[in-house]
Amino acid sequence: QKLTAILRSQAGEQQREILFGFRKAEARDGRFYINDRPTYLRGTHFGGDFPLTGYPSTEEREWEKIFGICREWGLNFIRFHSYCPPEAAFAAADRLGIYLQVECAMWNTFQEGNGMEEVLWEETERILKSFGHHPSFVMLSPSNEPGGEWAPVLAQWYRKCKEEEKNYSGERLYTRQ
């Protein structure tokens, strides 16, 4: 779907179009479901390897090429290991039907009171506000290989994500590890 928002004031006019979609992602009975249909997620790990540039492309056509190759090999899911891709990746994934797992890029020691839970939540909010409207965005992970007494901190992060989900379009799955 496409939403067009127009802001008119004495200072002028601004217009923005946002593409979005509706889908329900859930895990139950040991299986993934998208829109209540059992869905097998066959995917790959993408660690942000961009040896020629050192950074991910912000061009949709580049992501369409990457995701097109994935589809040719029968993949429908990509885990972005320890990072969040740019807007262009989400837009291309939406068009090509690729599901994405984004990670908050935190290889930290988590302990109650050490401040990392605030940093994690700030990053989570930025990701959800920026990309939460994309139907391709089906999973979010807080960290990769967390250290310290991470279990209670990430359990609280999970609960907070589920509580705040109503403020962002679409349900998604969250992992605590």
Side-chain angles (χ1 to χ4, degrees), residues 2-72:
K2 180 170 38 174
L3 171 71
T4 302
I6 302 171
L7 175 64
R8 291 187 183 104
S9 72
Q10 294 175 342
E13 180 177 301
Q14 288 184 326
Q15 179 174 323
R16 184 165 180 209
E17 290 184 350
I18 297 174
L19 295 176
F20 68 99
F22 296 104
R23 57 100 192 97
K24 178 181 171 186
E26 62 183 327
R28 63 176 190 243
D29 304 323
R31 298 184 77 177
F32 290 112
Y33 290 81
I34 304 289
N35 297 331
D36 293 319
R37 294 176 56 206
T39 304
Y40 183 76
L41 297 176
R42 183 171 187 241
T44 187
H45 155 286
F46 193 65
D49 323 13
F50 297 95
L52 299 179
T53 61
Y55 57 89
S57 175
T58 57
E59 299 296 323
E60 289 181 31
R61 64 180 158 61
E62 295 294 325
W63 287 100
E64 287 174 354
K65 179 180 176 184
I66 292 167
F67 295 152
I69 292 168
C70 289
R71 283 185 56 165
E72 287 176 25

Side-chain angles (χ1 to χ4, degrees), residues 61-124:
R61 64 180 158 61
E62 295 294 325
W63 287 100
E64 287 174 354
K65 179 180 176 184
I66 292 167
F67 295 152
I69 292 168
C70 289
R71 283 185 56 165
E72 287 176 25
W73 284 89
L75 305 179
N76 65 353
F77 172 78
I78 297 179
R79 172 190 174 205
F80 285 89
H81 183 284
S82 299
Y83 80 106
C84 178
E87 173 69 29
F90 289 94
D94 291 347
R95 279 195 303 284
L96 295 177
I98 301 289
Y99 299 116
L100 308 179
Q101 175 182 317
V102 174
E103 298 185 4
C104 290
M106 297 189 67
W107 290 50
N108 300 83
T109 298
F110 292 98
Q111 300 177 169
E112 289 188 35
N114 77 347
M116 290 315 302
E117 61 266 32
E118 287 87 15
V119 174
L120 172 60
W121 187 249
E122 289 170 4
E123 182 65 3
T124 299

Side-chain angles (χ1 to χ4, degrees), residues 6 48 126 128:
I6 302 171
R126 282 190 290 268
L128 291 173

